[in-house]
Amino acid sequence: MPRRGPGHGPMPGEKAKDFKGTMKKLMGYMGKYKIALLFVVIFAIGSTVFNIIGPKILGKATTEIFTGLVGKISGGSGIDFAKIGRILATLLCLYLCSAFFSFIQGYIMTGVSQKLTYRMRREISEKISRLPMNYFDKLTHGEILSRITNDVDTLSMSLNQSATQVITSVTTIIGVLIMMLSISPLMTVIALLILPVSMGLISVIVKRSQKFFKSQQRYLGHVNGQVEEVYGGHSIVKAFNKEEDVIEAFDRDNEILYQSAWKSQFLSGMMMPIMQFVGNLGYVAVVILGGYLAIKKTIEVGDIQSFIQYVRSFTQPIQQVAQV
């Protein structure tokens, strides 16, 4: 059993005793679905790659429009709408393939996470049936139920959303970086300057919010346990005149749950607007430099539009990974 603090929960800041062993067991659980997980990885990467190629092709359409307008002013034939139509048709096919791949990997991953959750709950139920009675004297019913419901649900949600999110985000970062370098190494360097600032802010927020998330999950179990036991043993509470003590204990734990819940949500909610602000600074720098390079004929006008989209796509997965 872990050490218990004054609020009958694990001591604040306590770390997992065997994190590597736990992850190894989880990987063993997921090993049964390794074929399905392989397809999830393939489809997730495929969906992301098609999305990454899109802005580059869209930039060609923008360049074609700009070239046609300039040519018309100079007495040329004007915009080649047939060529633009072909470019847009190619772009539509890419995005349709991306959406299809994303749907397939989401469908497979949802099935895997639900099967894993069902198997885990079934094994927890079988384990509880084998536990000695003194185990239930050490933990409240609410804490046990919270482990079966809340904790398993959290794991299921993380597997269903966060696992594929990490795959797509890492693929996006690598792919977008390659595309940005292909357009302009100088503009890429300017865009990358926002990374140290972003990572510094993320580390500060994550470090502060994690302890509140831990406290939230811990005291959720305490409050559930108190509610279940007080309602189940209402006559005993009345017989021993423990109403005030019970209310006091509930109010204390509920206040801690409230404080940790709003602080964790507030801090994690700050991450996105802060990252967007830092990203906008990089966006402005890229636009100014891109306009200068276009005037110097170093890059095309459509490349500026593509690069701006890539800057947005580059900062977004960093935010997503941090949120995970």
Side-chain angles (χ1 to χ4, degrees):
M1 292 293 293
R3 289 186 301 124
R4 322 271 321 159
H8 311 294
M11 294 294 285
E14 183 178 11
K15 295 183 179 179
K17 290 183 178 180
D18 187 14
F19 178 77
K20 290 183 179 178
T22 303
M23 291 304 297
K24 189 176 180 181
K25 289 177 183 177
L26 181 59
M27 291 301 106
Y29 260 77
M30 297 178 69
K32 184 179 179 181
Y33 313 103
K34 56 187 175 184
I35 304 282
L37 290 173
L38 178 62
F39 278 105
V40 167
V41 172
I42 292 170
F43 282 116
I45 292 175
S47 172
T48 308
V49 167
F50 284 128
N51 257 330
I52 291 170
I53 298 172
K56 183 81 172 178
I57 295 176
L58 186 60
K60 293 183 183 299
T62 305
T63 300
E64 189 63 35
I65 293 172
F66 175 77
T67 305
L69 286 172
V70 172
K72 187 157 189 170
I73 293 171
S74 304
S77 59
I79 301 173
D80 186 351
F81 286 103
K83 186 175 181 180
I84 293 174
R86 290 193 296 272
I87 293 172
L88 294 179
T90 304
L91 188 65
L92 177 63
C93 291
L94 283 174
Y95 284 142
L96 285 175
C97 289
S98 175
F100 176 73
F101 277 32
S102 179
F103 172 79
I104 295 296
Q105 67 90 9
Y107 178 82
I108 295 172
M109 195 63 206
T110 301
V112 170
S113 63
Q114 290 305 310
K115 288 174 184 175
L116 192 69
T117 303
Y118 172 78
R119 179 184 167 193
M120 192 169 285
R121 282 212 174 100
R122 187 190 66 213
E123 293 183 5
I124 290 174
S125 177
E126 293 171 355
K127 176 71 174 178
I128 285 175
S129 301
R130 297 194 301 268
L131 288 171
M133 288 301 296
N134 64 354
Y135 175 81
F136 298 98
D137 294 333
K138 295 175 184 176
L139 292 175
T140 64
H141 294 170
E143 285 185 78
I144 297 170
L145 289 172
S146 182
R147 188 160 299 177
I148 298 171
T149 55
N150 297 330
D151 292 351
V152 175
D153 279 343
T154 301
L155 177 63
S156 173
M157 185 175 65
S158 297
L159 288 173
N160 191 25
Q161 298 176 0
S162 302
T164 53
Q165 192 72 71
V166 169
I167 296 167
T168 56
S169 296
V170 171
T171 307
T172 300
I173 291 171
I174 296 171
V176 166
L177 183 60
I178 293 170
M179 298 302 285
M180 287 165 66
L181 286 169
S182 70
I183 293 172
S184 171
L186 180 59
M187 290 171 66
T188 303
V189 170
I190 297 297
L192 290 178
L193 289 177
I194 66 173
L195 280 182
V197 179
S198 302
M199 298 308 294
L201 291 172
I202 287 171
S203 63
V204 170
I205 294 173
V206 168
K207 189 175 180 181
R208 291 180 177 273
S209 64
Q210 273 189 335
K211 62 181 180 180
F212 294 120
F213 275 111
K214 289 177 183 178
S215 177
Q216 177 185 343
Q217 286 298 108
R218 181 164 67 243
Y219 280 91
L220 181 62
H222 299 338
V223 171
N224 285 344
Q226 288 173 353
V227 171
E228 194 275 336
E229 287 190 344
V230 169
Y231 274 93
H234 186 67
S235 57
I236 297 174
V237 173
K238 293 287 288 183
F240 287 91
N241 293 322
K242 285 288 184 178
E243 293 95 328
E244 291 185 5
D245 293 340
V246 165
I247 292 172
E248 182 183 348
F250 175 81
D251 287 342
R252 182 185 65 245
D253 286 355
N254 191 48
E255 178 64 20
I256 296 173
L257 174 61
Y258 165 73
Q259 292 294 336
S260 59
W262 83 259
K263 287 177 182 177
S264 64
Q265 297 302 323
F266 174 74
L267 286 171
S268 64
M270 283 177 60
M271 194 178 300
M272 194 67 74
I274 289 175
M275 287 291 294
Q276 285 177 346
F277 172 73
V278 176
N280 285 336
L281 295 178
Y283 169 78
V284 171
V286 163
V287 169
I288 294 172
L289 180 59
Y292 173 76
L293 293 176
I295 292 171
K296 294 288 186 180
K297 305 291 185 182
T298 306
I299 61 173
E300 297 177 339
V301 174
D303 289 335
I304 301 176
Q305 178 242 314
S306 300
F307 200 92
I308 290 170
Q309 284 186 274
Y310 284 132
V311 170
R312 294 289 193 192
S313 300
F314 191 70
T315 55
Q316 188 179 24
I318 297 173
Q319 298 169 16
Q320 292 169 343
V321 171
Q323 197 73 30
V324 170

